[in-house]
Every structure is written in structure tokens, then in C-alpha cells.
Amino acid sequence: MRKIISRMLTGLAAGALATATVAAMSSPAQAALDGYTPNGGPGVTFTGNNVSFTAVQAGQTLTCSQFDLIGTITNPGVNRAFGAEAGVLDQLASSGCWNDTAGDTTVDPTGVWRVRVTGPEAGSVSPAELYDVTAFVEAAGCSFNVGGTVGGTFNDSTGVFTPNASTLTITDTPSGFLCPIIGVDQGQDVTVAGTWTAPGLTITNP
């Protein structure tokens, strides 16, 4: 009987030790999955490099020699859930925006653009996106609004955000005589190419 009790106690102790060990080992790993922390700023500038927007169905591309997003990091150094806001980009500095058919074009934000990290970092790369993106686009003889999200990755070893997906669409009926000529229409998809560089912005998990 004593041997049985002794074996039970030994087994319970071993089980408790194993549970404690797993908990101790899994806590940091679990914490890494619980959120992220943006560091730097609080002022931040995403400097555009070869930024372009293409209305897919119309086959029309708008390129800008300058397309910089300027704003602030939200509560730098504070952990937050994936998908929560990392920063507010409420200013746009753009110039040299051009379409081969329409010529000079302007892009004006119609709301506050935001940026966030959406998942755990792999090495130095985090999935990230620009969201609440809304803008008014105007060229000679054609104007319209766009809205949606620009998904991509942020590499904090280089400070570069690279878009790789877009839900941007033309959200209203384009206005102006040139719109039917260049073929833009409401509901068309808009893709984004190029990169943005944000020096000093880094991401840690959590």
C-alpha cells in the first residue's frame, strides 16, 4: 500500500512539474502571439518610393514622383492587440502625379488614413496594412473617390512597407467628360505598387 501511495505521489509531483515547465516555456511564446508594440516617433513619415495606383478594369495607371504619408505613432512603446491602430497618417505630401491620358492629376485624402500590424512578426517582417484609406482623385476632365485598404508587409530592419494586396475601389460614379474615354467607372478595383519607408519605426512582439 505504501508503495502504491508513493508511486501516486511521485506521479502527481512529476505531472505538476511537467505542467509548470510547459507553462513556463509557453508563456513567452504565447505572449509573442498576444500583440505587438510600435516603437519610435511619435512623429512618423512614410516616404513613398515609385508609388503608383492602377484602375484595373480601365487599365489606367497614376504614378507620383512624391507620395509621402505623414502622421504620428499611436502610444509608442505600448503593447496592443493585432489589428489595433499603430499610427495615424493625417497628412499627405504629393507631387508629380501623372496619368498618360489625363496628364497632371491630384490626390487629396478625404479622411484620416491609419496603419496597423495584423499578425506576428516573422524575423523582422510583420503583416501590416494601411486602412481607412479614402481619397479624391482629380484629373483634367475626370474626378472620382476611392476607398479601401492596402495590405502588405513592414520590415523594421529596413523601415519599408511593401504593399501586396488592395481592396481599394472607385466608390462613386466618376464625373467629367474624360471619364468614359479613359474607361474608369464606379466599383473598379485599384491596385497599389511601390514602397513606403518609415525611418525609426520598429515593431516588437508583444
Side-chain angles (χ1 to χ4, degrees):
M1 185 67 178
R2 289 181 179 176
K3 289 183 179 179
I4 293 174
I5 294 174
S6 176
R7 287 174 184 172
M8 290 177 61
L9 291 174
T10 301
L12 289 172
L17 178 61
T19 300
T21 302
V22 169
M25 292 175 63
S26 64
S27 292
Q30 182 62 42
L33 299 176
D34 283 345
Y36 74 101
T37 303
N39 305 287
V44 66
T45 297
F46 282 76
T47 302
N49 309 284
N50 301 313
V51 174
S52 66
F53 303 87
T54 299
V56 177
Q57 288 81 1
Q60 296 290 335
T61 297
L62 166 68
T63 59
C64 295
S65 58
Q66 178 190 22
F67 201 91
D68 303 339
L69 303 170
I70 304 161
T72 57
I73 299 173
T74 305
N75 298 323
V78 177
N79 180 53
R80 68 214 61 196
F82 292 120
E85 179 184 290
V88 174
L89 304 171
D90 55 0
Q91 302 174 59
L92 170 66
S94 66
S95 63
C97 295
W98 177 268
N99 172 267
D100 287 342
T101 303
D104 289 329
T105 306
T106 59
V107 181
D108 294 320
T110 54
V112 176
W113 297 17
R114 304 176 192 277
V115 61
R116 61 188 171 193
V117 169
T118 57
E121 192 173 39
S124 61
V125 178
S126 299
E129 62 184 21
L130 299 172
Y131 68 107
D132 287 351
V133 174
T134 56
F136 178 72
V137 180
E138 184 172 19
C142 187
S143 60
F144 53 88
N145 288 281
V146 299
T149 297
V150 179
T153 59
F154 180 75
N155 188 331
D156 62 13
S157 68
T158 60
V160 173
F161 172 77
T162 303
N164 59 21
S166 171
T167 67
L168 293 179
T169 60
I170 298 175
T171 57
D172 61 351
T173 301
S175 175
F177 76 92
L178 189 63
C179 299
I181 297 174
I182 63 177
V184 295
D185 203 356
Q186 184 175 10
Q188 289 186 349
D189 301 315
V190 179
T191 59
V192 182
T195 61
W196 279 274
T197 302
L201 173 61
T202 60
I203 303 297
T204 55
N205 292 166

